[in-house]
Amino acid sequence: MAEEKKKPAVGLQPEGEVDWSDYQGILVVVEQREGSAKKVSWQLLGESKRMADKLNAPLMAMVIGHGVEEVAKEAIYYGADKVFICDSPELKDYRTRPYSKVCLHVIREFKPEIVLFGATYTGRDLAGAIATHLPTGLTADCTQLDVNEERLLMASRPAFSEKMLATILCKQFKPQMATARSGVFQSLPRDDSRVGEIIRIEPQMDEQEIATEVLEFVESTHGINLEDAEVIVSGGRGLGGPAGFKILQELANALGGVVGASRPAFEAGWITHDHQVGQTGSTVHPKLYIACGISGAIQHTIGMQSSDYIIAINKDPEAPIFKIANYGIVGDLFEIVPALTKAALAKKGKQAAVASAVTNG
Ligand SMILES: Cc1cc2nc3c(=O)[nH]c(=O)nc-3n(C[C@H](O)[C@H](O)[C@H](O)COP(=O)(O)OP(=O)(O)OC[C@H]3O[C@@H](n4cnc5c(N)ncnc54)[C@H](O)[C@@H]3O)c2cc1C
């Protein structure tokens, strides 16, 4: 009886011999909406520039959409050496099939060794769709990226309820792909004197072939944008109830910021989920993060530890949040927060008085 040979799993083995050394450089897939790029795309370019220099390889960007010429130029200003642009009316709004078709074309034609996406709703959808067509893996939701001496991408992401950081390598196949969280990496300063190459990709698709149609976008009326906020005043279980968020909102208003929260505060129904910071909420990178009545569990700090300045207010001097805080205030938040608000408003009042005195001569 002839021995049955075990076939490789479908999709895992590329057909024929592939020379992986043909694959060179890093490609960042830029996410944009209506001509405005997501910050995570520039953050990924910043981090990728460091890795591309280590690999001595080009840094490339891919911009897909309609009327996205300016976004392609911006990608160069933020570090890309080469930008692929695919601009067409069918690509105006994100749809999985046409976008993944364009990306697959660029990956197969230009062979980057690493491809990176933001871990946004769109980035996750697009990266997953592309990965199903390529003989490679995809590491999702990374918080650290690096390359080793074998040119392998070391994609690290929190695992086991964020208690461990798992570093994942895709050793056999190319491109190595990953999605990465917003707010974790630093973008390079925008430099509009940078020059780079723009390569146009002609889309070959017929609207009839695309099964989905975007009818309209409905903006959320209550959602807040934590990821782009410069000041976040965040509250946890120590607030004791929804009323505690009122004093946090007052401080946030005085500082021109927004209110964040820990998961227990959301789970208790004191605030909506779009305010939650952490592993199962948003990753934020504000200039100032004020943590009020938050103990500092890893699932929370993973989402805010890269803030420029952290102030922690907690009545327990042993609270772990003090280990990552730049300034710690031990005491009752119900006394400290209103005092900070008063001080911030007084400072604002003084500044306004000075400005008006200058204007009036
Ligand atoms: C899979 C998983 C995912 C998770 N995801 C997240 C997440 O995304 N975000 C998140 O936040 N958590 C998350 N958690 C929960 C996390 O483990 C912690 O339980 C949570 O962060 C603790 O929230 P807290 O600091 O508000 O509450 P607590 O740990 O109860 O801390 C409350 C703090 O308030 C202080 N306090 C009390 N009263 C006052 C007062 N009057 N003045 C000053 N200080 C006071 C206390 O000393 C204490 O330090 C997750 C957990 C799991 C298992």
Side-chain angles (χ1 to χ4, degrees):
M1 199 168 62
E3 202 184 319
E4 196 182 321
K5 273 205 179 147
K6 220 177 171 189
K7 283 187 188 161
V10 175
L12 287 182
Q13 208 68 30
E15 280 173 24
E17 279 296 300
V18 181
D19 183 0
W20 296 120
S21 64
D22 286 352
Y23 284 72
Q24 293 279 326
I26 302 178
L27 175 69
V28 172
V29 179
V30 173
E31 183 175 336
Q32 63 79 35
R33 211 180 128 214
E34 295 185 348
S36 174
K38 288 251 175 191
K39 273 188 183 175
V40 66
S41 304
W42 305 151
Q43 292 161 1
L44 276 176
L45 277 177
E47 188 64 3
S48 299
K49 179 83 183 131
R50 186 184 60 77
M51 296 192 287
D53 288 347
K54 247 175 149 177
L55 293 170
N56 195 18
L59 176 56
M60 300 169 276
M62 169 88 234
V63 177
I64 308 172
H66 186 43
V68 288
E69 198 80 29
E70 285 306 312
V71 183
K73 285 186 198 154
E74 289 291 315
I76 292 172
Y77 302 157
Y78 279 102
D81 303 311
K82 200 185 271 188
V83 182
F84 304 105
I85 177 169
C86 191
D87 194 311
S88 171
E90 306 88 62
L91 299 167
K92 182 178 173 294
D93 298 313
Y94 173 75
R95 287 181 290 173
T96 312
R97 192 164 148 73
Y99 271 57
S100 58
K101 205 174 159 183
V102 174
C103 281
L104 278 165
H105 170 79
V106 169
I107 291 171
R108 289 183 173 132
E109 188 76 16
F110 297 94
K111 299 184 170 48
E113 57 197 302
I114 294 170
V115 183
L116 301 172
F117 308 79
T120 58
Y121 290 116
T122 304
R124 286 180 174 133
D125 181 69
L126 181 60
I130 292 168
T132 58
H133 289 275
L134 294 171
T136 189
L138 168 68
T139 307
D141 226 11
C142 297
T143 54
Q144 279 179 28
L145 296 169
D146 209 345
V147 282
N148 68 14
E149 55 292 339
E150 293 168 68
R151 300 184 79 87
L152 291 174
L153 174 70
M154 298 191 291
S156 302
R157 52 152 299 147
F160 296 106
S161 302
E162 316 260 327
K163 289 191 171 61
M164 283 173 63
L165 200 61
T167 300
I168 297 160
L169 276 69
C170 175
K171 285 185 159 176
Q172 272 174 296
F173 305 124
K174 298 274 167 43
Q176 307 157 85
M177 303 209 303
T179 64
R181 285 189 195 181
S182 176
V184 177
F185 303 114
Q186 298 276 358
S187 47
L188 296 169
R190 181 179 180 276
D191 175 2
D192 58 13
S193 66
R194 281 196 92 247
V195 283
E197 191 185 355
I198 294 191
I199 299 172
R200 260 157 237 292
I201 307 294
E202 289 308 321
Q204 288 178 351
M205 63 188 74
D206 183 352
E207 185 61 47
Q208 308 298 322
E209 286 176 36
I210 308 167
T212 51
E213 187 184 349
V214 177
L215 298 179
E216 65 172 326
F217 281 97
V218 181
E219 294 289 346
S220 164
T221 49
H222 63 272
I224 61 149
N225 187 354
L226 275 185
E227 285 169 18
D228 291 335
E230 298 206 331
V231 176
I232 299 177
V233 183
S234 220
R237 202 171 353 227
L239 289 181
F245 276 103
K246 195 170 166 285
I247 60 165
L248 262 52
Q249 187 65 62
E250 285 164 2
L251 178 56
N253 291 347
L255 296 173
V258 296
V259 167
S262 71
R263 178 156 133 174
F266 153 66
E267 282 179 340
W270 303 344
I271 195 154
T272 50
H273 182 256
D274 49 330
H275 292 263
Q276 188 190 314
V277 173
Q279 179 188 345
T280 43
S282 299
T283 302
V284 297
H285 182 71
K287 288 190 174 145
L288 175 63
Y289 190 91
I290 308 181
C292 312
I294 293 177
S295 60
I298 180 81
Q299 294 87 354
H300 185 81
T301 56
I302 195 94
M304 46 64 78
Q305 63 196 3
S306 62
S307 305
D308 291 353
Y309 279 96
I310 300 170
I311 299 178
I313 305 169
N314 199 302
K315 64 181 184 184
D316 174 7
E318 302 297 323
I321 192 77
F322 288 128
K323 291 199 180 112
I324 61 157
N326 300 88
Y327 299 99
I329 306 175
V330 179
D332 185 347
L333 70 92
F334 291 98
E335 289 170 18
I336 296 159
V337 173
L340 288 177
T341 309
K342 212 173 150 191
L345 289 175
K347 192 168 178 218
K348 252 181 155 178
K350 260 190 206 157
Q351 282 170 345
V354 171
S356 133
V358 170
T359 319
N360 298 330

